[in-house]
Amino acid sequence: MDRVEVGRVFQMFDRNRDGMITKEELSMSLEKLGIFISNKEVTQIFESIDVNGDGFVDVDEFGMLYRTTVNEENEEEDMLEAFNVFDQNKDGFITFEELSSVLSSLGLKQGIALEDCQRMMTKVDADGDGRVNFIEFKQMIKGVGFPS
């Protein structure tokens, strides 16, 4: 993410081109994007972005928010890519057999015993359907719902 890209996005929000985004400019820009939220929510968002508390968001403050948002999107894409490695038949679920196959191909002994894979998956299979969906996979990767 370079400064030029952040500057370009910043300019879309800086409606009067004074180098600062006001709460009103943020609200109007969000509405133009089809995002309609209450004044209270706009205030909360604005205050979280306005790090120095001067009542304006400058390009550096905006850049921190923008980079955080883009990094979260990249993280999601990375997780989906990892999920797709295990979801060999691309049906949106990881089965015991698929887990075993991938672990075996990586040379991990856990992939050999189907019972071991079943035990591993049972720890993250929140809905109990015997398969791991993408949401369950993300929770496992982030360490949520995956007891040690």
Side-chain angles (χ1 to χ4, degrees):
M1 164 88 49
D2 63 18
R3 192 160 173 81
V4 173
E5 183 179 348
V6 170
R8 232 181 277 134
V9 176
F10 178 83
Q11 287 175 359
M12 292 183 342
F13 285 82
D14 181 16
R15 305 184 58 78
N16 66 0
R17 306 280 187 248
D18 67 353
M20 302 288 185
I21 298 173
T22 64
K23 186 171 69 169
E24 292 74 23
E25 287 174 317
L26 177 63
S27 180
M28 289 182 347
S29 296
L30 290 173
E31 285 179 13
K32 269 199 161 250
L33 292 170
I35 302 170
F36 300 95
I37 57 177
S38 71
N39 285 335
K40 181 180 177 182
E41 290 171 310
V42 170
T43 299
Q44 289 172 336
I45 292 168
F46 189 83
E47 288 174 355
S48 72
I49 302 169
D50 181 19
V51 177
N52 66 7
D54 66 357
F56 300 96
V57 173
D58 62 32
V59 70
D60 292 328
E61 290 169 323
F62 185 81
M64 287 188 291
L65 170 74
Y66 189 71
R67 279 187 286 282
T68 300
T69 303
V70 169
N71 286 341
E72 287 173 4
E73 289 172 7
N74 289 343
E75 182 180 294
E76 182 89 5
E77 289 172 18
D78 292 344
M79 280 194 222
L80 183 57
E81 193 174 311
F83 178 83
N84 286 333
V85 168
F86 287 92
D87 181 18
Q88 295 176 327
N89 67 359
K90 308 300 180 221
D91 67 351
F93 298 96
I94 301 170
T95 63
F96 303 122
E97 295 81 14
E98 288 170 324
L99 178 61
S100 179
S101 171
V102 171
L103 293 178
S104 291
S105 71
L106 294 172
L108 300 173
K109 70 176 186 174
Q110 291 95 335
I112 297 170
L114 195 57
E115 309 83 52
D116 292 337
C117 290
Q118 289 172 329
R119 252 191 316 281
M120 290 169 64
M121 287 185 59
T122 300
K123 292 179 180 180
V124 296
D125 182 17
D127 61 12
D129 67 354
R131 307 175 296 180
V132 173
N133 61 36
F134 183 59
I135 293 169
E136 293 165 334
F137 181 80
K138 283 193 318 187
Q139 290 173 336
M140 177 192 71
I141 296 296
K142 290 182 175 184
V144 179
F146 189 58
S148 52

